[in-house]
Amino acid sequence: MMDKIQIAIDGPASAGKSTVAKIVANKLHFIYCDTGAMYRAVTYAAIKKNIKLDDDQALGELLKNIDIKFVPGKPEQRVFINEEEVTRAIRTPEITNNVSLVSAQPSVRKALTQRQQEIAAEGGIVMDGRDIGTTVLPNAQVKIFLVASVHERAVRRFKENQEKGIDTPLATLEKEIEERDYKDSHREISPLVKADDAILVDTTSLDIDGVVERILEIVKQNTKASENQ
Ligand code: DC
C-alpha cells in the first residue's frame, strides 16, 4: 500500500490543479484539500459582512468566528462556512475577482496556512493551491507545479463557464487570468512561485488523463526513491 504521503500541487489559476488533484486523490484513496476554496470562502464571508477586503485586522477577527469545512459529496466536495453551504456561492465572478486581495492579507494567510497544516498532518493527502510546496507543506514528499499557457487556461475556463451558463467573453477571461497571475505572483507573503524541489508539469498540450498519468508516475518514482534510501 502507498504510504500516507503528502502531495502538494501548486500553479496559477485555471491550470487544472483541482480537476487532476481530485482524480489523483481518488485513485490513491487520499483526502483532497482545495485551499483556493478556503480563500474563496473567507472572501465570501467578508463581502457578506461588509468587511473591507484589505482590512487585515477585521479579516483576522472574522476568521476567529468562521469554521471552513469540506464535506464529501458527488459530483463535488461541498464547502461550508459554519453551517452555511457555499459550494456554489464561492465560484461566482465576484468572488473570483476579489479573492486575490483577501488572500494577500497576512492574518488570512496565517490562519488558513495553520488550518491547512492541521488537515494535512496525518498525510494521505493531495493539497492544491499556490504556496503548498513552498510554505504550507515544505516537507511534502511529492511537489508538482502545474502550468499552462494563458490562452489555454482561458479556453478551459470559457468551456467550464458555458456549462454553467456564464457568458464571459474569452478575451475578458484571458485578461482576468493574466491579472490574477500577476497579483498572485507579486504579493508580499507566500507568492505563487515554484518550489525548488517541485517538478514542473506543463499541461498546455495534455488532456486531463495525461496530466493524471504523469503525476501518478512522479508519485511512483518518488516513493520508490525514498524506499531505496
Ligand atoms: O485555485 P483558486 O482559483 O480557487 O484560488 C483562488 C485564489 O486564492 C487565488 O487567486 C489565489 C488564492 N490562493 C492562495 O493565495 N493560496 C493558495 N494556497 C490557494 C489559493
Side-chain angles (χ1 to χ4, degrees), residues 154-191:
V155 169
R156 289 178 193 168
R157 193 47 53 109
F158 185 78
K159 287 184 188 155
E160 265 172 42
N161 281 353
Q162 295 263 299
E163 281 163 24
K164 294 183 198 156
I166 303 173
D167 270 325
T168 316
L170 187 62
T172 310
L173 291 175
E174 283 190 356
K175 214 174 117 245
E176 285 175 2
I177 286 177
E178 268 174 350
E179 274 170 16
R180 207 138 67 93
D181 278 0
Y182 186 86
K183 286 186 201 150
D184 291 346
S185 318
H186 289 81
R187 67 168 175 241
E188 225 163 280
I189 316 166
S190 302

PDB file of all heavy atoms in Angstrom, residues 154-191:
ATOM      1  N   ALA A 154      -7.590  30.152 -20.411  1.00  0.00           N
ATOM      2  CA  ALA A 154      -8.808  30.927 -20.664  1.00  0.00           C
ATOM      3  C   ALA A 154      -9.823  30.075 -21.428  1.00  0.00           C
ATOM      4  O   ALA A 154     -11.024  30.103 -21.136  1.00  0.00           O
ATOM      5  CB  ALA A 154      -8.473  32.192 -21.441  1.00  0.00           C
ATOM      6  N   VAL A 155      -9.344  29.306 -22.391  1.00  0.00           N
ATOM      7  CA  VAL A 155     -10.249  28.435 -23.162  1.00  0.00           C
ATOM      8  C   VAL A 155     -10.908  27.403 -22.239  1.00  0.00           C
ATOM      9  O   VAL A 155     -12.113  27.166 -22.312  1.00  0.00           O
ATOM     10  CB  VAL A 155      -9.478  27.719 -24.311  1.00  0.00           C
ATOM     11  CG1 VAL A 155     -10.324  26.628 -24.945  1.00  0.00           C
ATOM     12  CG2 VAL A 155      -9.031  28.734 -25.356  1.00  0.00           C
ATOM     13  N   ARG A 156     -10.130  26.848 -21.323  1.00  0.00           N
ATOM     14  CA  ARG A 156     -10.686  25.860 -20.378  1.00  0.00           C
ATOM     15  C   ARG A 156     -11.751  26.508 -19.501  1.00  0.00           C
ATOM     16  O   ARG A 156     -12.821  25.938 -19.287  1.00  0.00           O
ATOM     17  CB  ARG A 156      -9.578  25.284 -19.492  1.00  0.00           C
ATOM     18  CG  ARG A 156      -8.643  24.363 -20.242  1.00  0.00           C
ATOM     19  CD  ARG A 156      -7.545  23.865 -19.302  1.00  0.00           C
ATOM     20  NE  ARG A 156      -6.460  23.231 -20.038  1.00  0.00           N
ATOM     21  CZ  ARG A 156      -5.290  22.925 -19.510  1.00  0.00           C
ATOM     22  NH1 ARG A 156      -5.042  23.195 -18.239  1.00  0.00           N
ATOM     23  NH2 ARG A 156      -4.360  22.324 -20.224  1.00  0.00           N
ATOM     24  N   ARG A 157     -11.443  27.689 -18.971  1.00  0.00           N
ATOM     25  CA  ARG A 157     -12.403  28.403 -18.107  1.00  0.00           C
ATOM     26  C   ARG A 157     -13.669  28.749 -18.902  1.00  0.00           C
ATOM     27  O   ARG A 157     -14.780  28.636 -18.405  1.00  0.00           O
ATOM     28  CB  ARG A 157     -11.704  29.641 -17.567  1.00  0.00           C
ATOM     29  CG  ARG A 157     -12.240  30.478 -16.441  1.00  0.00           C
ATOM     30  CD  ARG A 157     -12.759  29.894 -15.169  1.00  0.00           C
ATOM     31  NE  ARG A 157     -11.995  28.963 -14.378  1.00  0.00           N
ATOM     32  CZ  ARG A 157     -11.449  29.216 -13.203  1.00  0.00           C
ATOM     33  NH1 ARG A 157     -11.530  30.399 -12.677  1.00  0.00           N
ATOM     34  NH2 ARG A 157     -10.830  28.278 -12.538  1.00  0.00           N
ATOM     35  N   PHE A 158     -13.466  29.146 -20.172  1.00  0.00           N
ATOM     36  CA  PHE A 158     -14.586  29.504 -21.052  1.00  0.00           C
ATOM     37  C   PHE A 158     -15.541  28.320 -21.197  1.00  0.00           C
ATOM     38  O   PHE A 158     -16.755  28.452 -21.043  1.00  0.00           O
ATOM     39  CB  PHE A 158     -14.027  29.922 -22.419  1.00  0.00           C
ATOM     40  CG  PHE A 158     -15.073  30.422 -23.378  1.00  0.00           C
ATOM     41  CD1 PHE A 158     -15.575  31.717 -23.260  1.00  0.00           C
ATOM     42  CD2 PHE A 158     -15.557  29.615 -24.400  1.00  0.00           C
ATOM     43  CE1 PHE A 158     -16.539  32.192 -24.137  1.00  0.00           C
ATOM     44  CE2 PHE A 158     -16.522  30.080 -25.282  1.00  0.00           C
ATOM     45  CZ  PHE A 158     -17.018  31.371 -25.147  1.00  0.00           C
ATOM     46  N   LYS A 159     -14.983  27.152 -21.432  1.00  0.00           N
ATOM     47  CA  LYS A 159     -15.817  25.949 -21.601  1.00  0.00           C
ATOM     48  C   LYS A 159     -16.556  25.612 -20.311  1.00  0.00           C
ATOM     49  O   LYS A 159     -17.737  25.277 -20.322  1.00  0.00           O
ATOM     50  CB  LYS A 159     -14.951  24.758 -22.044  1.00  0.00           C
ATOM     51  CG  LYS A 159     -14.505  24.874 -23.497  1.00  0.00           C
ATOM     52  CD  LYS A 159     -13.731  23.630 -23.903  1.00  0.00           C
ATOM     53  CE  LYS A 159     -13.101  23.803 -25.277  1.00  0.00           C
ATOM     54  NZ  LYS A 159     -11.916  22.940 -25.448  1.00  0.00           N
ATOM     55  N   GLU A 160     -15.834  25.698 -19.199  1.00  0.00           N
ATOM     56  CA  GLU A 160     -16.465  25.444 -17.888  1.00  0.00           C
ATOM     57  C   GLU A 160     -17.630  26.408 -17.668  1.00  0.00           C
ATOM     58  O   GLU A 160     -18.706  26.005 -17.239  1.00  0.00           O
ATOM     59  CB  GLU A 160     -15.459  25.734 -16.771  1.00  0.00           C
ATOM     60  CG  GLU A 160     -14.677  24.546 -16.242  1.00  0.00           C
ATOM     61  CD  GLU A 160     -13.598  25.047 -15.279  1.00  0.00           C
ATOM     62  OE1 GLU A 160     -13.863  25.961 -14.451  1.00  0.00           O
ATOM     63  OE2 GLU A 160     -12.483  24.531 -15.384  1.00  0.00           O
ATOM     64  N   ASN A 161     -17.381  27.690 -17.972  1.00  0.00           N
ATOM     65  CA  ASN A 161     -18.406  28.714 -17.787  1.00  0.00           C
ATOM     66  C   ASN A 161     -19.634  28.435 -18.633  1.00  0.00           C
ATOM     67  O   ASN A 161     -20.760  28.606 -18.185  1.00  0.00           O
ATOM     68  CB  ASN A 161     -17.852  30.095 -18.154  1.00  0.00           C
ATOM     69  CG  ASN A 161     -16.996  30.683 -17.056  1.00  0.00           C
ATOM     70  OD1 ASN A 161     -16.920  30.129 -15.961  1.00  0.00           O
ATOM     71  ND2 ASN A 161     -16.354  31.794 -17.335  1.00  0.00           N
ATOM     72  N   GLN A 162     -19.398  28.024 -19.890  1.00  0.00           N
ATOM     73  CA  GLN A 162     -20.524  27.745 -20.790  1.00  0.00           C
ATOM     74  C   GLN A 162     -21.442  26.690 -20.185  1.00  0.00           C
ATOM     75  O   GLN A 162     -22.657  26.808 -20.241  1.00  0.00           O
ATOM     76  CB  GLN A 162     -19.985  27.256 -22.139  1.00  0.00           C
ATOM     77  CG  GLN A 162     -19.192  28.313 -22.863  1.00  0.00           C
ATOM     78  CD  GLN A 162     -20.015  29.065 -23.885  1.00  0.00           C
ATOM     79  OE1 GLN A 162     -20.520  28.471 -24.817  1.00  0.00           O
ATOM     80  NE2 GLN A 162     -20.172  30.360 -23.689  1.00  0.00           N
ATOM     81  N   GLU A 163     -20.823  25.677 -19.587  1.00  0.00           N
ATOM     82  CA  GLU A 163     -21.623  24.619 -18.964  1.00  0.00           C
ATOM     83  C   GLU A 163     -22.449  25.149 -17.803  1.00  0.00           C
ATOM     84  O   GLU A 163     -23.502  24.626 -17.484  1.00  0.00           O
ATOM     85  CB  GLU A 163     -20.714  23.479 -18.479  1.00  0.00           C
ATOM     86  CG  GLU A 163     -20.287  22.565 -19.617  1.00  0.00           C
ATOM     87  CD  GLU A 163     -19.094  21.691 -19.258  1.00  0.00           C
ATOM     88  OE1 GLU A 163     -18.877  21.442 -18.050  1.00  0.00           O
ATOM     89  OE2 GLU A 163     -18.371  21.286 -20.188  1.00  0.00           O
ATOM     90  N   LYS A 164     -21.934  26.204 -17.170  1.00  0.00           N
ATOM     91  CA  LYS A 164     -22.658  26.777 -16.027  1.00  0.00           C
ATOM     92  C   LYS A 164     -23.567  27.925 -16.467  1.00  0.00           C
ATOM     93  O   LYS A 164     -24.183  28.582 -15.623  1.00  0.00           O
ATOM     94  CB  LYS A 164     -21.648  27.327 -15.008  1.00  0.00           C
ATOM     95  CG  LYS A 164     -20.792  26.284 -14.340  1.00  0.00           C
ATOM     96  CD  LYS A 164     -19.895  26.976 -13.312  1.00  0.00           C
ATOM     97  CE  LYS A 164     -18.719  26.123 -12.915  1.00  0.00           C
ATOM     98  NZ  LYS A 164     -17.615  26.934 -12.407  1.00  0.00           N
ATOM     99  N   GLY A 165     -23.587  28.218 -17.770  1.00  0.00           N
ATOM    100  CA  GLY A 165     -24.431  29.307 -18.260  1.00  0.00           C
ATOM    101  C   GLY A 165     -23.851  30.691 -18.005  1.00  0.00           C
ATOM    102  O   GLY A 165     -24.562  31.686 -18.011  1.00  0.00           O
ATOM    103  N   ILE A 166     -22.530  30.771 -17.775  1.00  0.00           N
ATOM    104  CA  ILE A 166     -21.888  32.070 -17.587  1.00  0.00           C
ATOM    105  C   ILE A 166     -21.269  32.479 -18.933  1.00  0.00           C
ATOM    106  O   ILE A 166     -20.553  31.691 -19.550  1.00  0.00           O
ATOM    107  CB  ILE A 166     -20.782  32.009 -16.496  1.00  0.00           C
ATOM    108  CG1 ILE A 166     -21.373  31.510 -15.174  1.00  0.00           C
ATOM    109  CG2 ILE A 166     -20.099  33.367 -16.323  1.00  0.00           C
ATOM    110  CD1 ILE A 166     -20.342  31.246 -14.085  1.00  0.00           C
ATOM    111  N   ASP A 167     -21.559  33.736 -19.361  1.00  0.00           N
ATOM    112  CA  ASP A 167     -21.173  34.141 -20.712  1.00  0.00           C
ATOM    113  C   ASP A 167     -20.042  35.154 -20.799  1.00  0.00           C
ATOM    114  O   ASP A 167     -20.126  36.098 -21.566  1.00  0.00           O
ATOM    115  CB  ASP A 167     -22.393  34.750 -21.419  1.00  0.00           C
ATOM    116  CG  ASP A 167     -23.172  33.666 -22.142  1.00  0.00           C
ATOM    117  OD1 ASP A 167     -22.519  32.731 -22.641  1.00  0.00           O
ATOM    118  OD2 ASP A 167     -24.417  33.753 -22.190  1.00  0.00           O
ATOM    119  N   THR A 168     -18.970  34.985 -20.057  1.00  0.00           N
ATOM    120  CA  THR A 168     -17.874  35.961 -20.136  1.00  0.00           C
ATOM    121  C   THR A 168     -17.069  35.716 -21.415  1.00  0.00           C
ATOM    122  O   THR A 168     -16.695  34.571 -21.688  1.00  0.00           O
ATOM    123  CB  THR A 168     -16.944  35.811 -18.906  1.00  0.00           C
ATOM    124  OG1 THR A 168     -17.754  35.677 -17.753  1.00  0.00           O
ATOM    125  CG2 THR A 168     -16.001  36.990 -18.770  1.00  0.00           C
ATOM    126  N   PRO A 169     -16.797  36.771 -22.217  1.00  0.00           N
ATOM    127  CA  PRO A 169     -16.019  36.570 -23.444  1.00  0.00           C
ATOM    128  C   PRO A 169     -14.602  36.044 -23.161  1.00  0.00           C
ATOM    129  O   PRO A 169     -14.028  36.351 -22.110  1.00  0.00           O
ATOM    130  CB  PRO A 169     -15.936  37.974 -24.063  1.00  0.00           C
ATOM    131  CG  PRO A 169     -16.941  38.797 -23.352  1.00  0.00           C
ATOM    132  CD  PRO A 169     -17.195  38.170 -22.020  1.00  0.00           C
ATOM    133  N   LEU A 170     -14.079  35.304 -24.119  1.00  0.00           N
ATOM    134  CA  LEU A 170     -12.747  34.695 -23.977  1.00  0.00           C
ATOM    135  C   LEU A 170     -11.672  35.746 -23.682  1.00  0.00           C
ATOM    136  O   LEU A 170     -10.821  35.552 -22.814  1.00  0.00           O
ATOM    137  CB  LEU A 170     -12.411  33.936 -25.264  1.00  0.00           C
ATOM    138  CG  LEU A 170     -11.132  33.106 -25.249  1.00  0.00           C
ATOM    139  CD1 LEU A 170     -11.192  31.999 -24.206  1.00  0.00           C
ATOM    140  CD2 LEU A 170     -10.865  32.498 -26.623  1.00  0.00           C
ATOM    141  N   ALA A 171     -11.739  36.879 -24.394  1.00  0.00           N
ATOM    142  CA  ALA A 171     -10.709  37.917 -24.206  1.00  0.00           C
ATOM    143  C   ALA A 171     -10.739  38.465 -22.782  1.00  0.00           C
ATOM    144  O   ALA A 171      -9.683  38.745 -22.188  1.00  0.00           O
ATOM    145  CB  ALA A 171     -10.921  39.050 -25.205  1.00  0.00           C
ATOM    146  N   THR A 172     -11.938  38.589 -22.215  1.00  0.00           N
ATOM    147  CA  THR A 172     -12.056  39.061 -20.825  1.00  0.00           C
ATOM    148  C   THR A 172     -11.432  38.038 -19.882  1.00  0.00           C
ATOM    149  O   THR A 172     -10.715  38.393 -18.943  1.00  0.00           O
ATOM    150  CB  THR A 172     -13.553  39.252 -20.447  1.00  0.00           C
ATOM    151  OG1 THR A 172     -14.168  40.025 -21.458  1.00  0.00           O
ATOM    152  CG2 THR A 172     -13.717  39.899 -19.093  1.00  0.00           C
ATOM    153  N   LEU A 173     -11.694  36.768 -20.152  1.00  0.00           N
ATOM    154  CA  LEU A 173     -11.137  35.715 -19.290  1.00  0.00           C
ATOM    155  C   LEU A 173      -9.610  35.731 -19.346  1.00  0.00           C
ATOM    156  O   LEU A 173      -8.945  35.583 -18.319  1.00  0.00           O
ATOM    157  CB  LEU A 173     -11.657  34.343 -19.723  1.00  0.00           C
ATOM    158  CG  LEU A 173     -13.144  34.096 -19.458  1.00  0.00           C
ATOM    159  CD1 LEU A 173     -13.562  32.755 -20.030  1.00  0.00           C
ATOM    160  CD2 LEU A 173     -13.439  34.140 -17.961  1.00  0.00           C
ATOM    161  N   GLU A 174      -9.081  35.940 -20.554  1.00  0.00           N
ATOM    162  CA  GLU A 174      -7.615  35.994 -20.686  1.00  0.00           C
ATOM    163  C   GLU A 174      -7.057  37.131 -19.840  1.00  0.00           C
ATOM    164  O   GLU A 174      -6.057  36.969 -19.139  1.00  0.00           O
ATOM    165  CB  GLU A 174      -7.208  36.192 -22.154  1.00  0.00           C
ATOM    166  CG  GLU A 174      -7.337  34.920 -22.963  1.00  0.00           C
ATOM    167  CD  GLU A 174      -6.707  35.030 -24.353  1.00  0.00           C
ATOM    168  OE1 GLU A 174      -6.232  36.119 -24.719  1.00  0.00           O
ATOM    169  OE2 GLU A 174      -6.703  34.006 -25.070  1.00  0.00           O
ATOM    170  N   LYS A 175      -7.749  38.273 -19.899  1.00  0.00           N
ATOM    171  CA  LYS A 175      -7.286  39.432 -19.140  1.00  0.00           C
ATOM    172  C   LYS A 175      -7.372  39.158 -17.633  1.00  0.00           C
ATOM    173  O   LYS A 175      -6.447  39.461 -16.876  1.00  0.00           O
ATOM    174  CB  LYS A 175      -8.124  40.660 -19.517  1.00  0.00           C
ATOM    175  CG  LYS A 175      -7.317  41.928 -19.488  1.00  0.00           C
ATOM    176  CD  LYS A 175      -8.113  43.114 -20.011  1.00  0.00           C
ATOM    177  CE  LYS A 175      -8.290  44.124 -18.920  1.00  0.00           C
ATOM    178  NZ  LYS A 175      -9.633  44.358 -18.449  1.00  0.00           N
ATOM    179  N   GLU A 176      -8.482  38.554 -17.208  1.00  0.00           N
ATOM    180  CA  GLU A 176      -8.652  38.260 -15.778  1.00  0.00           C
ATOM    181  C   GLU A 176      -7.597  37.275 -15.280  1.00  0.00           C
ATOM    182  O   GLU A 176      -7.064  37.418 -14.183  1.00  0.00           O
ATOM    183  CB  GLU A 176     -10.053  37.679 -15.525  1.00  0.00           C
ATOM    184  CG  GLU A 176     -11.148  38.728 -15.587  1.00  0.00           C
ATOM    185  CD  GLU A 176     -12.553  38.139 -15.459  1.00  0.00           C
ATOM    186  OE1 GLU A 176     -12.684  36.906 -15.278  1.00  0.00           O
ATOM    187  OE2 GLU A 176     -13.502  38.921 -15.562  1.00  0.00           O
ATOM    188  N   ILE A 177      -7.296  36.280 -16.106  1.00  0.00           N
ATOM    189  CA  ILE A 177      -6.296  35.278 -15.710  1.00  0.00           C
ATOM    190  C   ILE A 177      -4.920  35.928 -15.589  1.00  0.00           C
ATOM    191  O   ILE A 177      -4.187  35.693 -14.628  1.00  0.00           O
ATOM    192  CB  ILE A 177      -6.285  34.091 -16.704  1.00  0.00           C
ATOM    193  CG1 ILE A 177      -7.539  33.234 -16.477  1.00  0.00           C
ATOM    194  CG2 ILE A 177      -5.025  33.239 -16.554  1.00  0.00           C
ATOM    195  CD1 ILE A 177      -7.696  32.081 -17.430  1.00  0.00           C
ATOM    196  N   GLU A 178      -4.598  36.790 -16.565  1.00  0.00           N
ATOM    197  CA  GLU A 178      -3.311  37.491 -16.508  1.00  0.00           C
ATOM    198  C   GLU A 178      -3.200  38.352 -15.258  1.00  0.00           C
ATOM    199  O   GLU A 178      -2.169  38.374 -14.593  1.00  0.00           O
ATOM    200  CB  GLU A 178      -3.125  38.378 -17.742  1.00  0.00           C
ATOM    201  CG  GLU A 178      -2.404  37.648 -18.843  1.00  0.00           C
ATOM    202  CD  GLU A 178      -2.322  38.455 -20.132  1.00  0.00           C
ATOM    203  OE1 GLU A 178      -2.987  39.501 -20.232  1.00  0.00           O
ATOM    204  OE2 GLU A 178      -1.598  38.003 -21.028  1.00  0.00           O
ATOM    205  N   GLU A 179      -4.314  39.037 -14.949  1.00  0.00           N
ATOM    206  CA  GLU A 179      -4.308  39.909 -13.772  1.00  0.00           C
ATOM    207  C   GLU A 179      -4.134  39.103 -12.486  1.00  0.00           C
ATOM    208  O   GLU A 179      -3.393  39.480 -11.584  1.00  0.00           O
ATOM    209  CB  GLU A 179      -5.622  40.693 -13.686  1.00  0.00           C
ATOM    210  CG  GLU A 179      -5.581  41.968 -14.507  1.00  0.00           C
ATOM    211  CD  GLU A 179      -6.951  42.623 -14.628  1.00  0.00           C
ATOM    212  OE1 GLU A 179      -7.860  42.268 -13.835  1.00  0.00           O
ATOM    213  OE2 GLU A 179      -7.106  43.461 -15.506  1.00  0.00           O
ATOM    214  N   ARG A 180      -4.844  37.975 -12.430  1.00  0.00           N
ATOM    215  CA  ARG A 180      -4.767  37.156 -11.220  1.00  0.00           C
ATOM    216  C   ARG A 180      -3.369  36.533 -11.094  1.00  0.00           C
ATOM    217  O   ARG A 180      -2.807  36.489  -9.999  1.00  0.00           O
ATOM    218  CB  ARG A 180      -5.857  36.077 -11.247  1.00  0.00           C
ATOM    219  CG  ARG A 180      -6.290  35.632  -9.878  1.00  0.00           C
ATOM    220  CD  ARG A 180      -7.782  35.466  -9.754  1.00  0.00           C
ATOM    221  NE  ARG A 180      -8.291  34.370 -10.554  1.00  0.00           N
ATOM    222  CZ  ARG A 180      -8.462  33.151 -10.097  1.00  0.00           C
ATOM    223  NH1 ARG A 180      -8.127  32.841  -8.851  1.00  0.00           N
ATOM    224  NH2 ARG A 180      -8.967  32.213 -10.844  1.00  0.00           N
ATOM    225  N   ASP A 181      -2.795  36.100 -12.204  1.00  0.00           N
ATOM    226  CA  ASP A 181      -1.416  35.577 -12.191  1.00  0.00           C
ATOM    227  C   ASP A 181      -0.485  36.620 -11.602  1.00  0.00           C
ATOM    228  O   ASP A 181       0.354  36.323 -10.759  1.00  0.00           O
ATOM    229  CB  ASP A 181      -0.919  35.307 -13.622  1.00  0.00           C
ATOM    230  CG  ASP A 181      -1.385  33.976 -14.168  1.00  0.00           C
ATOM    231  OD1 ASP A 181      -2.100  33.263 -13.446  1.00  0.00           O
ATOM    232  OD2 ASP A 181      -1.032  33.654 -15.322  1.00  0.00           O
ATOM    233  N   TYR A 182      -0.649  37.853 -12.118  1.00  0.00           N
ATOM    234  CA  TYR A 182       0.245  38.922 -11.684  1.00  0.00           C
ATOM    235  C   TYR A 182       0.113  39.153 -10.185  1.00  0.00           C
ATOM    236  O   TYR A 182       1.101  39.167  -9.455  1.00  0.00           O
ATOM    237  CB  TYR A 182      -0.033  40.227 -12.456  1.00  0.00           C
ATOM    238  CG  TYR A 182       0.974  41.301 -12.113  1.00  0.00           C
ATOM    239  CD1 TYR A 182       2.184  41.369 -12.788  1.00  0.00           C
ATOM    240  CD2 TYR A 182       0.735  42.187 -11.066  1.00  0.00           C
ATOM    241  CE1 TYR A 182       3.138  42.317 -12.451  1.00  0.00           C
ATOM    242  CE2 TYR A 182       1.683  43.143 -10.720  1.00  0.00           C
ATOM    243  CZ  TYR A 182       2.876  43.203 -11.410  1.00  0.00           C
ATOM    244  OH  TYR A 182       3.822  44.132 -11.061  1.00  0.00           O
ATOM    245  N   LYS A 183      -1.141  39.291  -9.721  1.00  0.00           N
ATOM    246  CA  LYS A 183      -1.366  39.568  -8.285  1.00  0.00           C
ATOM    247  C   LYS A 183      -0.873  38.406  -7.428  1.00  0.00           C
ATOM    248  O   LYS A 183      -0.238  38.601  -6.403  1.00  0.00           O
ATOM    249  CB  LYS A 183      -2.851  39.792  -8.018  1.00  0.00           C
ATOM    250  CG  LYS A 183      -3.349  41.130  -8.511  1.00  0.00           C
ATOM    251  CD  LYS A 183      -4.789  41.334  -8.069  1.00  0.00           C
ATOM    252  CE  LYS A 183      -5.479  42.363  -8.926  1.00  0.00           C
ATOM    253  NZ  LYS A 183      -6.913  42.120  -9.045  1.00  0.00           N
ATOM    254  N   ASP A 184      -1.181  37.178  -7.848  1.00  0.00           N
ATOM    255  CA  ASP A 184      -0.787  36.013  -7.047  1.00  0.00           C
ATOM    256  C   ASP A 184       0.741  35.860  -6.999  1.00  0.00           C
ATOM    257  O   ASP A 184       1.294  35.398  -6.003  1.00  0.00           O
ATOM    258  CB  ASP A 184      -1.414  34.724  -7.603  1.00  0.00           C
ATOM    259  CG  ASP A 184      -2.928  34.684  -7.408  1.00  0.00           C
ATOM    260  OD1 ASP A 184      -3.454  35.498  -6.625  1.00  0.00           O
ATOM    261  OD2 ASP A 184      -3.583  33.834  -8.039  1.00  0.00           O
ATOM    262  N   SER A 185       1.425  36.262  -8.076  1.00  0.00           N
ATOM    263  CA  SER A 185       2.885  36.082  -8.117  1.00  0.00           C
ATOM    264  C   SER A 185       3.643  37.241  -7.495  1.00  0.00           C
ATOM    265  O   SER A 185       4.838  37.120  -7.240  1.00  0.00           O
ATOM    266  CB  SER A 185       3.386  35.937  -9.557  1.00  0.00           C
ATOM    267  OG  SER A 185       2.551  35.125 -10.290  1.00  0.00           O
ATOM    268  N   HIS A 186       2.973  38.385  -7.333  1.00  0.00           N
ATOM    269  CA  HIS A 186       3.698  39.560  -6.842  1.00  0.00           C
ATOM    270  C   HIS A 186       3.328  39.985  -5.434  1.00  0.00           C
ATOM    271  O   HIS A 186       3.791  41.006  -4.971  1.00  0.00           O
ATOM    272  CB  HIS A 186       3.513  40.742  -7.801  1.00  0.00           C
ATOM    273  CG  HIS A 186       4.258  40.541  -9.089  1.00  0.00           C
ATOM    274  ND1 HIS A 186       3.764  39.767 -10.101  1.00  0.00           N
ATOM    275  CD2 HIS A 186       5.470  40.971  -9.491  1.00  0.00           C
ATOM    276  CE1 HIS A 186       4.640  39.746 -11.097  1.00  0.00           C
ATOM    277  NE2 HIS A 186       5.685  40.459 -10.751  1.00  0.00           N
ATOM    278  N   ARG A 187       2.474  39.228  -4.762  1.00  0.00           N
ATOM    279  CA  ARG A 187       2.144  39.654  -3.401  1.00  0.00           C
ATOM    280  C   ARG A 187       3.333  39.378  -2.489  1.00  0.00           C
ATOM    281  O   ARG A 187       4.200  38.555  -2.800  1.00  0.00           O
ATOM    282  CB  ARG A 187       0.870  38.951  -2.917  1.00  0.00           C
ATOM    283  CG  ARG A 187       1.058  37.479  -2.740  1.00  0.00           C
ATOM    284  CD  ARG A 187      -0.092  36.833  -1.982  1.00  0.00           C
ATOM    285  NE  ARG A 187       0.121  35.419  -1.977  1.00  0.00           N
ATOM    286  CZ  ARG A 187      -0.700  34.521  -2.517  1.00  0.00           C
ATOM    287  NH1 ARG A 187      -1.820  34.893  -3.081  1.00  0.00           N
ATOM    288  NH2 ARG A 187      -0.403  33.246  -2.466  1.00  0.00           N
ATOM    289  N   GLU A 188       3.322  40.082  -1.344  1.00  0.00           N
ATOM    290  CA  GLU A 188       4.486  40.027  -0.477  1.00  0.00           C
ATOM    291  C   GLU A 188       4.659  38.671   0.220  1.00  0.00           C
ATOM    292  O   GLU A 188       5.748  38.132   0.297  1.00  0.00           O
ATOM    293  CB  GLU A 188       4.356  41.117   0.568  1.00  0.00           C
ATOM    294  CG  GLU A 188       5.635  41.896   0.762  1.00  0.00           C
ATOM    295  CD  GLU A 188       5.335  43.185   1.461  1.00  0.00           C
ATOM    296  OE1 GLU A 188       4.876  44.132   0.784  1.00  0.00           O
ATOM    297  OE2 GLU A 188       5.511  43.233   2.675  1.00  0.00           O
ATOM    298  N   ILE A 189       3.537  38.148   0.740  1.00  0.00           N
ATOM    299  CA  ILE A 189       3.629  36.913   1.522  1.00  0.00           C
ATOM    300  C   ILE A 189       3.269  35.708   0.656  1.00  0.00           C
ATOM    301  O   ILE A 189       2.252  35.705  -0.031  1.00  0.00           O
ATOM    302  CB  ILE A 189       2.647  36.932   2.708  1.00  0.00           C
ATOM    303  CG1 ILE A 189       2.706  38.289   3.393  1.00  0.00           C
ATOM    304  CG2 ILE A 189       2.934  35.821   3.693  1.00  0.00           C
ATOM    305  CD1 ILE A 189       1.560  38.494   4.340  1.00  0.00           C
ATOM    306  N   SER A 190       4.089  34.675   0.740  1.00  0.00           N
ATOM    307  CA  SER A 190       3.834  33.426   0.022  1.00  0.00           C
ATOM    308  C   SER A 190       3.338  33.619  -1.405  1.00  0.00           C
ATOM    309  O   SER A 190       2.270  33.154  -1.761  1.00  0.00           O
ATOM    310  CB  SER A 190       2.789  32.586   0.770  1.00  0.00           C
ATOM    311  OG  SER A 190       3.203  32.297   2.055  1.00  0.00           O
ATOM    312  N   PRO A 191       4.082  34.337  -2.227  1.00  0.00           N
ATOM    313  CA  PRO A 191       3.629  34.492  -3.613  1.00  0.00           C
ATOM    314  C   PRO A 191       3.656  33.157  -4.351  1.00  0.00           C
ATOM    315  O   PRO A 191       4.314  32.211  -3.891  1.00  0.00           O
ATOM    316  CB  PRO A 191       4.657  35.456  -4.207  1.00  0.00           C
ATOM    317  CG  PRO A 191       5.876  35.277  -3.382  1.00  0.00           C
ATOM    318  CD  PRO A 191       5.399  34.955  -1.999  1.00  0.00           C
TER     319      PRO A 191
END
